[in-house]
Amino acid sequence: MISGSSPWIVESFVTARGQRLSAGAVAAFDLSKHAKLQVTGGDRVRFLNGQLTNDVAKAGSDAAIEASILNAKGRMNAHVFLCATPDSFLVDADPALRESLAQRLERYVIADDVEISDVTEAFALFHVIATPAPEIDGVLKKVRSDRFGFDGSDLWFAIGDHDRAYHELGRAIPMWDGTRAETLRIERGIARWGCELSEEIIPVEANLEARAIDYAKGCYIGQEVISRMKMSGQKNKRLCGLLSLSGAAIATSSRLFAMDAERKEVGWVTSATFSLRLKKEIALGFVKRGFNAVGTRLLAPGAEIGDVNVGVPVEVVALPFDCSLAGEAD
């Protein structure tokens, strides 16, 4: 059953482990607006393993896992991160999923000893790319996590400590705002709910198989679709990197067309930005099979000049884009 905020047993501080990035490659992100659920009860492991694409057993006291929650057709209901406490699991997701995620999980609690509590307002959450992560007083839980394609850590605090933790982290390492975080995730080819991820997408199409799917675990809702795609090795579309060849900006949500006489529609743009590290206009987008090989050139609509739409030529490139955080200092 869904209830309000519930008490949480505080664990001892755990030091994150990970490969060190280049000197100066550090950043912190405030994820406190994320939807947060706590799952308790004696059947919580079995229940969540029947819902998530990843193996819940991998979510130890010092490491978070990434996973998808699907419908019976293999399409996404949610994209989540999950970590363990001694008597519960903490789940966080995009703020837009706060209501629907709780409802989706609750729907499958039948005779299970499972309780799902909304603890969004109880905890502050920060993600840090730094090894080792700075030690901040009052941290309730510290776990290894990979949210941007770099070894990082999630830091959980009581919500009342949010402002103090924010300022202490900001004094230790650069605190990145939403704009810089968005550019970084596009550069790293990381799919985001509401952009690349939606209820129309199957997770393998968004390149989530290595990060968020365990093919050896037990059954879960939507597994048959995922297994069939693995066996066939085919995807109708795939999330790709797109590079502007003309230097013109690529418009988010614009359609993509083949560069032939027929101008066949072959995909669409999901996110776009100007990368200061690359000094280029880049984007993420889904491209249909047969047109998504690296090096393929496509056309996106551009600016209207008179009655003519000046298209933006783009090239499909490998993800992540060829850039790093080396040298980042503020």
Side-chain angles (χ1 to χ4, degrees):
M1 301 294 293
I2 298 176
S3 67
S5 299
S6 63
W8 175 37
I9 297 176
V10 178
E11 289 189 292
S12 60
F13 185 85
V14 180
T15 301
R17 302 189 301 274
Q19 185 177 2
R20 180 176 292 276
L21 300 174
S22 302
V26 295
F29 309 87
D30 186 354
L31 306 182
S32 298
K33 292 183 179 180
H34 273 207
K36 308 178 197 75
L37 301 178
Q38 185 174 30
V39 182
T40 58
D43 295 332
R44 64 188 182 278
V45 174
R46 181 187 59 77
F47 171 76
L48 286 173
N49 261 331
Q51 307 300 318
L52 274 62
T53 57
N54 212 340
D55 187 353
V56 173
K58 295 178 181 177
S61 61
D62 63 346
I65 63 167
E66 183 177 357
S68 297
I69 298 175
L70 313 178
N71 64 21
K73 296 182 179 180
R75 301 187 185 279
M76 299 185 68
N77 288 150
H79 174 251
V80 303
F81 281 80
L82 179 144
C83 63
T85 78
D87 62 351
S88 72
F89 289 101
L90 290 171
V91 180
D92 77 272
D94 188 272
L97 289 168
R98 180 174 179 179
E99 182 176 347
S100 62
L101 175 58
Q103 293 175 347
R104 162 63 178 78
L105 290 174
E106 176 70 12
R107 190 183 313 145
Y108 290 92
V109 178
I110 310 297
D112 306 276
D113 177 16
V114 170
E115 183 174 352
I116 301 167
S117 305
D118 186 331
V119 293
T120 302
E121 307 300 333
F123 298 107
L125 174 62
F126 297 89
H127 180 71
V128 175
I129 300 174
T131 48
E135 297 188 11
I136 305 297
D137 290 340
V139 66
L140 300 177
K141 189 169 184 63
K142 181 179 181 180
V143 295
R144 300 191 314 274
S145 69
D146 177 354
R147 294 179 185 257
F148 291 95
F150 293 117
D151 288 342
S153 300
D154 290 342
L155 307 179
W156 291 76
F157 295 84
I159 193 64
D161 285 335
H162 171 272
D163 292 352
R164 179 187 58 79
Y166 181 96
H167 292 300
E168 287 191 21
L169 274 173
R171 286 196 294 268
I173 58 177
M175 183 70 71
W176 283 21
D177 62 17
T179 300
R180 295 185 73 186
E182 182 71 356
T183 296
L184 176 62
R185 77 148 189 100
I186 295 171
E187 291 170 340
R188 300 298 296 167
I190 303 298
R192 175 185 173 187
W193 190 265
C195 296
E196 292 70 37
L197 305 180
S198 72
E199 293 191 344
E200 300 301 317
I201 298 298
I202 299 172
V204 294
E205 297 173 335
N207 305 326
L208 291 177
E209 55 265 50
R211 300 166 56 91
I213 297 175
D214 188 318
Y215 287 102
K217 61 167 286 186
C219 296
Y220 57 88
I221 296 169
Q223 183 188 31
E224 291 184 4
V225 175
I226 303 300
S227 297
R228 284 200 303 269
M229 292 183 71
K230 177 177 173 59
M231 292 179 63
S232 69
Q234 293 186 345
K235 309 170 189 175
N236 291 331
K237 57 185 174 295
R238 178 172 61 86
L239 184 64
C240 299
L242 303 168
L243 179 67
S244 172
L245 297 176
S246 66
I250 306 169
T252 300
S253 300
S254 62
R255 315 310 286 182
L256 296 168
F257 299 89
M259 277 194 169
D260 55 25
E262 296 180 1
R263 286 291 189 265
K264 179 180 179 180
E265 184 176 318
V266 297
W268 69 96
V269 178
T270 55
S271 302
T273 190
F274 177 75
S275 169
L276 285 172
R277 280 177 283 277
L278 288 170
K279 295 180 174 57
K280 294 178 180 178
E281 296 283 350
I282 62 174
L284 299 177
F286 284 100
V287 184
K288 294 180 181 179
R289 186 173 61 202
F291 298 90
N292 56 28
V294 171
T296 302
R297 295 193 172 189
L298 305 172
L299 191 67
E304 298 285 348
I305 300 180
D307 295 329
V308 179
N309 186 291
V310 180
V312 179
V314 301
E315 182 174 320
V316 176
V317 299
L319 292 173
F321 289 91
D322 186 17
C323 58
S324 72
L325 282 180
E328 285 285 351
D330 54 35

